[in-house]
Amino acid sequence: MNTSHAQTIEAIRRQRGSALVIMGHHYQGGLVIQHTDLRGDSLELARQVRGLCAARHIVFCGVSFMAETAAMLAAPGQTVVQPAPEAGCVMSDMAPAPLVDAVLRRLTADGRRVIPLAYVNTDAAVKAVVARHGGSVCTSANAQVMLRWALDQGDGVLFLPDKNLGHNTADALGLAPRERALVDVSAHGAALDPAALRATPLLLWPGMCVVHKRFRAAQVEAVRQRDPDALVVVHPECEPEVVSRADAAGSTSFIIRYVEQAPQGAAIYVGTELNLVERLARDFEGRKLVRPLFPSRCQNMAKTTEEVLAATLEDLDDIEPVTVPCDVARDAVVAIERMLDICR
Ligand code: 13P
Ligand code: SF4
């Protein structure tokens, strides 16, 4: 810890009081997360923004799609600032809005009602496209409820961009492998054959998270061999071969609860971003043995450092807030609110 950055941050927090709220995703490093007022998984963070009535400034330590969502849910007069605005999400970049729109137009050209369900790990512009096509968004914490909802709305669902979360959620809902197909999004959607996909209820975008792709079935099997009593919990962005071999899978907050509720003395291997696993290992040291299934770090989450947070707070009144064009925000909020209404 750099004492002067920590002191700067804490002094500004004291001085600004309830007018300043620092939010942080669970994947933020310990030096940043120690200064947050609120932390959570993507769903919890989105929900919490609506309750921050006294806050004038919301400083969001996370990646761009999270800060954008917060900016769209913030009240008039509140500003959302992202300390590292260049921190994007590799998975969200795999589904650019014009391509999502082109693919949806092609899938629906013959009158088929395909409902898009976008993982919250997408740009605001994608959420707006999804809303215009009658769809909604989901997070890892409510993907099953939202996929069930989407399947009931039309005669097919386009789940994007995470094919792994799509497969894992479909597995949890009992959808057979023949009821899903990967969509070919090459050539701006021109390569896909809507007629061949017409009878398939769940269409999956071919995206994934590079951080969670590093977890392999062989790593779970190696743990089982070494320590048959050990528990394995993973994030549902991992490949289905990993999730099906784990004892449990769920959002980052689910993983935290799973470790909290594991018996004293348990060894728990965790398949998610390393900052969270290291923090759990420290928090439970001497009581439970928490280990990474494999050390995998999200380079974008790591862009928010204690130094960057201190500099942001020093400059708070002059810094450029996160903005989303009005027409995009108007439609994207419809998709987000559909989710918040369905998952109260
Ligand atoms: P959670 O919503 O589970 O916190 O996950 C967000 C994320 O980006 C996982 O990679
Ligand atoms: Fe995106 Fe993966 Fe990083 Fe989550 S861990 S923010 S999905 S790149």
Side-chain angles (χ1 to χ4, degrees):
M1 176 168 59
N2 179 315
T3 332
S4 77
H5 296 324
Q7 283 171 348
T8 302
I9 295 167
E10 289 310 313
I12 295 172
R13 286 181 73 197
R14 274 193 303 278
Q15 181 204 331
R16 298 253 179 187
S18 58
L20 167 67
V21 173
I22 304 181
M23 305 184 83
H25 183 262
H26 290 311
Y27 289 165
Q28 292 295 297
L31 293 180
V32 170
I33 211 93
Q34 64 177 341
H35 300 298
T36 55
D37 299 290
L38 298 168
R39 51 181 96 164
D41 65 17
S42 310
L43 180 60
E44 290 163 343
L45 290 167
R47 277 192 180 130
Q48 285 166 350
V49 170
R50 280 277 157 93
L52 301 178
C53 308
R56 161 90 182 83
H57 296 287
I58 299 169
V59 174
F60 200 105
C61 304
V63 292
S64 297
F65 73 82
M66 297 176 178
E68 261 188 358
T69 302
M72 292 188 287
L73 294 175
Q78 286 180 332
T79 59
V80 174
V81 168
Q82 188 186 1
E86 72 285 13
C89 165
V90 179
M91 182 204 287
S92 79
D93 294 344
M94 292 177 189
L99 181 57
V100 173
D101 196 38
V103 166
L104 277 164
R105 282 177 195 280
R106 203 157 157 80
L107 287 170
T108 55
D110 62 355
R112 185 178 182 195
R113 190 158 155 70
V114 175
I115 304 297
L117 184 60
Y119 193 21
V120 73
N121 299 36
T122 42
D123 290 347
V126 172
K127 294 180 176 86
V129 168
V130 159
R132 288 178 206 131
H133 285 265
S136 185
V137 296
C138 72
T139 76
S140 61
N142 62 18
Q144 289 179 39
V145 174
M146 291 309 299
L147 180 56
R148 188 67 271 158
W149 170 85
L151 286 165
D152 290 343
Q153 302 308 302
D155 43 30
V157 171
L158 174 67
F159 187 93
L160 67 138
D162 187 2
K163 65 174 178 174
N164 290 331
L165 181 64
H167 273 302
N168 291 323
T169 309
D171 285 341
L173 292 182
L175 255 75
R178 68 181 152 70
E179 295 176 288
R180 328 161 191 177
L182 220 53
V183 173
D184 185 344
V185 299
S186 61
H188 205 65
L192 75 83
D193 178 2
L197 297 170
R198 207 166 201 314
T200 310
L202 179 58
L203 307 172
L204 300 168
W205 194 272
M208 76 188 80
C209 165
V210 291
V211 177
H212 288 88
K213 192 180 156 45
R214 298 185 190 121
F215 301 107
R216 321 296 317 198
Q219 294 158 359
V220 184
E221 277 158 13
V223 168
R224 302 289 187 215
Q225 287 251 313
R226 241 184 3 255
D227 182 358
D229 294 329
L231 299 167
V232 179
V233 60
V234 301
H235 196 278
E237 288 174 14
C238 293
E239 289 176 343
E241 296 71 25
V242 176
V243 170
S244 63
R245 283 169 176 78
D247 295 291
S251 77
T252 50
S253 290
F254 172 92
I255 290 172
I256 294 169
R257 284 193 298 275
Y258 186 87
V259 172
E260 282 167 356
Q261 288 162 13
Q264 289 292 326
I268 310 146
Y269 288 79
V270 184
T272 199
E273 207 277 338
L274 193 58
N275 276 327
L276 173 56
V277 187
E278 287 180 339
R279 188 155 57 252
L280 286 169
R282 271 195 306 276
D283 290 351
F284 288 90
E285 198 175 348
R287 292 180 288 149
K288 301 172 194 185
L289 184 81
V290 180
R291 290 282 178 269
L293 184 58
F294 179 81
S296 184
R297 218 179 266 288
C298 177
Q299 300 302 335
N300 280 304
M301 287 285 181
K303 286 176 182 164
T304 309
T305 60
E306 197 180 38
E307 184 178 359
V308 165
L309 177 57
T312 302
L313 294 180
E314 283 183 308
D315 219 11
L316 199 53
D317 294 314
D318 300 317
I319 216 156
E320 201 59 46
V322 179
T323 52
V324 178
C326 283
D327 54 331
V328 172
R330 184 198 58 217
D331 291 347
V333 162
V334 170
I336 299 168
E337 284 188 336
R338 268 184 198 136
M339 170 187 78
L340 295 175
D341 277 352
I342 294 162
C343 303
R344 276 182 191 285

